[in-house]
Amino acid sequence: MGKRVIIIGAAGRDFHNFNTFFRDNKDYEVVAFTAAQIPDIDGRKYPGDLAGNLYPEGIPIFPEDELPKLIKEMKVDIAVFSYSDISYNKVMSTSAIVNAAGAAFMLLGPNDTMIKSNKPVIAVCATRTGCGKSQTSRRIIEYLMEKGLKVVAVRHPMPYGDLTKQKVQRFANLSDLEKHYCTIEEMEEYEPHVVRGNVIYSGVDYGAILKDAENDPDGCDVILWDGGNNDFPFFKPDLMVTVADPHRPGHELSYYPGEVNLRMADVVVINKIDSANRDDIETVRRNIRKVNPKAQIVDGASPIKSDHPELIEGKRVLVIEDGPTLTHGEMKIGAGTVAAQKYGAAEIVDPRPYATGKLKKTFEQYPDVGVLLPAMGYGKEQIKDLEKTIAATPCDTVIIGTPIDLSRIVKIKQPTTRVHYDLQEIGYPALKDILDGFRI
């Protein structure tokens, strides 16, 4: 074996980096993964039946806070940073920890990790978590389906269960969500695709996933890469769409690897211009032109609708938003918050005094979440804690700002209203204009 490697990750990009660059590479020996962001990932193993012939016993996964000790005890030569939506300060702080422990610090790039498809690939990525990738992906798929094309979506990984069983996952019906024991976070991403009539894949081994997607039994004309966080694509795109968020101006040039996506983009969608400050929109537009002057810019809005606005007006409301958007996405406002403001809520009730179990720990880990309730549901225990927290919070109405109907998963005793939002392009060019010129 060659240089000893530890991969710093969060159960996604780390496994992909291993599979594409290290798995059969005798120049390196991967001795461990470390895990962050996702609860209960550490303490497990990347299984031997996924790790290949060089690692028949699998590879252990440790908490990231043990990194300096692991580097020294395991005589690590190189630490490979392999997760997304991280500030440049955090990335370089991690590199300082690695270097101080004696190891080199590595970032793998697109040429090291992207897989080439035999089908056209459109990638949708972002500069931060929560920019609006999902509704952008849905809009692109709708346009392609109107052309009579068979679209197969492939989602950035969220493998939080049995990694061997999750090697390749195909979702074509709502029953598949139960079949694969999906978490709330997974359902939020897969369900909108399934109900629109297109198949979506996810899992752990994206080489195997790509082969299955290209040969999907329902047919495949185009593959849509539906990115996660602000990671760059696992597949080599023929058209790269990056979504930017004017609610966080400047972040497009200060978070890893969001700036990579911005610089690689053929198209940049500036989303949420209906609820953002004009100066902030222009800051984002200026930054796009600074680093990627050739990109086409699409102005987009995410208009908010509530199915029961009368349950918001004058009421004390609990606002539930998408979990990762609030936590490592660091958003201070989401669809539910906008709805509370739009429809005249009397008060947004603070859930923190009533948080229990793992959800209480989430608020401790991410204190800037504030009065919003992140829909954390990475496991049964966390879902139960979410249910208890909602029940204990004294409010008149629960506003569900997540992409799926949370009341289908969690028992909510208070009246609920869902918030809906889709991408609406403004002016020229629209995504349809760009897709009309995309050769398939």
Side-chain angles (χ1 to χ4, degrees), residues 23 56 60 107 123 198 230 277 304 322 332 349 368 390 402 408:
R23 181 162 54 192
L107 294 170
N198 67 279
N230 66 346
N277 178 282
I304 300 296
D322 171 64
K332 304 295 188 296
V349 179
D368 293 336
I390 296 169
T402 57
R408 189 169 61 80

Side-chain angles (χ1 to χ4, degrees), residues 121-338:
V121 174
I122 299 174
V124 179
C125 298
T127 57
R128 290 296 316 272
T129 302
C131 287
K133 297 182 301 295
S134 296
Q135 60 259 50
T136 304
S137 293
R138 294 196 299 267
R139 177 68 78 187
I140 290 171
I141 288 170
E142 287 168 0
Y143 286 143
L144 295 174
M145 290 175 73
E146 287 173 6
K147 291 172 166 281
L149 296 170
K150 290 280 188 180
V151 184
V152 175
V154 180
R155 180 62 170 71
H156 188 276
M158 294 187 284
Y160 309 138
D162 184 318
L163 298 179
T164 298
K165 291 180 179 178
Q166 292 180 309
K167 178 181 177 180
V168 177
Q169 296 173 295
R170 180 181 186 269
F171 302 91
N173 302 288
L174 290 178
S175 60
D176 293 328
L177 302 177
E178 295 182 18
K179 172 185 172 184
H180 291 288
Y181 302 101
C182 287
T183 63
I184 288 174
E185 286 71 21
E186 291 171 295
M187 283 186 269
E188 286 178 346
E189 301 301 335
Y190 306 151
E191 186 173 316
H193 286 281
V194 172
V195 298
R196 275 173 169 76
N198 67 279
V199 172
I200 181 164
Y201 283 81
S202 188
V204 179
D205 189 329
Y206 278 76
I209 288 168
L210 180 58
K211 288 180 181 178
D212 281 13
E214 290 169 339
N215 298 287
D216 187 79
D218 290 344
C220 175
D221 298 311
V222 186
I223 288 175
L224 188 288
W225 173 260
D226 192 352
N229 289 0
N230 66 346
D231 205 355
F232 53 82
F234 290 8
F235 302 155
K236 185 173 178 58
D238 298 289
L239 181 70
M240 174 84 168
V241 180
T242 298
V243 188
D245 185 356
H247 285 288
R248 292 168 283 183
H251 286 209
E252 60 278 354
L253 298 183
S254 58
Y255 277 75
Y256 177 81
E259 186 178 343
V260 177
N261 289 330
L262 187 64
R263 289 176 176 272
M264 289 173 59
D266 301 300
V267 180
V268 181
V269 177
I270 304 178
N271 195 17
K272 308 177 190 176
I273 67 171
D274 52 328
S275 57
N277 178 282
R278 180 178 293 180
D279 290 343
D280 293 339
I281 296 168
E282 290 310 310
T283 295
V284 173
R285 197 183 305 276
R286 205 163 44 244
N287 286 340
I288 296 167
R289 289 296 178 220
K290 178 181 176 182
V291 302
N292 191 349
K294 294 182 179 180
Q296 296 189 76
I297 297 178
V298 174
D299 287 339
S302 292
I304 300 296
K305 296 182 292 182
S306 167
D307 51 9
H308 291 290
E310 72 279 2
L311 294 178
I312 300 176
E313 185 178 1
K315 306 293 186 181
R316 300 175 71 243
V317 300
L318 171 63
V319 177
I320 305 178
E321 304 280 19
D322 171 64
T325 298
L326 296 184
T327 54
H328 46 274
E330 302 172 312
M331 276 289 285
K332 304 295 188 296
I333 182 174
T337 315
V338 174

